[in-house]
């Protein structure tokens, strides 16, 4: 079966959503190239890209049958759930490895927690493999 018939109004809405989504993805890609540091690049990699994909998938949902729309809704849901988590993991890894310049951070909420974890490792009876240590992930 082909795509469901859509009115002229639906065609216009779909075209606007596609163009807005493509523009958002383009801005996100430019941000990845132009922004100076990792936190800014992570913002450019997640927020505009997710918004762009969301707009494109909404436009596609208007054009397809209802069974395919459910699949597209699941893609949107998984994108909204996974993009922030992956961004957080990348940022945390960069922080721990020293790739992220800590002196440029305005607020460093992780420094105190990491110093407590390091002090716990240095305490008598504590080791890096201690099962009582909580992970910061």
């Amino acid at each position: 079966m082909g795509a469901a018939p859509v009115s002229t109004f639906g065609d216009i809405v779909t075209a606007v959503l596609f163009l807005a989504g493509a523009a958002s993805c383009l801005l996100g890609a430019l941000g990845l190239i132009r922004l100076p540091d990792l936190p800014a690049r992570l913002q450019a990699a997640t927020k505009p890209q997710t918004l762009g994909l969301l707009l494109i998938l909404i436009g596609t949902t208007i054009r397809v049958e209802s069974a395919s729309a459910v699949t597209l809704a699941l893609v949107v849901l998984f994108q909204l759930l996974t993009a922030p988590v992956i961004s957080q993991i990348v940022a945390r890894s960069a922080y721990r490895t020293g790739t992220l310049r800590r002196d440029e951070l305005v607020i460093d909420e992780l420094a105190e927690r990491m110093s407590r974890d390091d002090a716990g490792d240095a305490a008598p009876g504590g080791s890096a493999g201690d099962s009582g240590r909580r992970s910061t992930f």
Side-chain angles (χ1 to χ4, degrees), residues 22-47:
S24 180
C25 289
L26 177 65
L27 289 174
L30 289 174
L32 281 173
I33 295 169
R34 302 284 304 191
L35 292 173
D37 57 353
L38 182 73
R41 287 182 181 173
L42 284 174
Q43 291 290 329
T46 54
K47 292 187 179 174

Side-chain angles (χ1 to χ4, degrees), residues 66-81:
S66 62
S68 298
V70 172
T71 303
L72 294 174
L74 287 173
V75 171
V76 168
L77 177 68
F78 289 132
Q79 177 68 22
L80 291 174
L81 291 174

Side-chain angles (χ1 to χ4, degrees), residues 2-19 53-73 76:
V6 178
S7 66
T8 304
F9 177 74
D11 289 340
I12 292 171
V13 170
T14 300
V16 168
L17 288 170
F18 283 168
L19 290 173
L53 178 65
L54 177 70
L55 293 173
I56 290 170
L57 290 177
I58 290 172
T60 304
T61 303
I62 293 171
R63 302 290 301 172
V64 299
E65 297 174 1
S66 62
S68 298
V70 172
T71 303
L72 294 174
V76 168

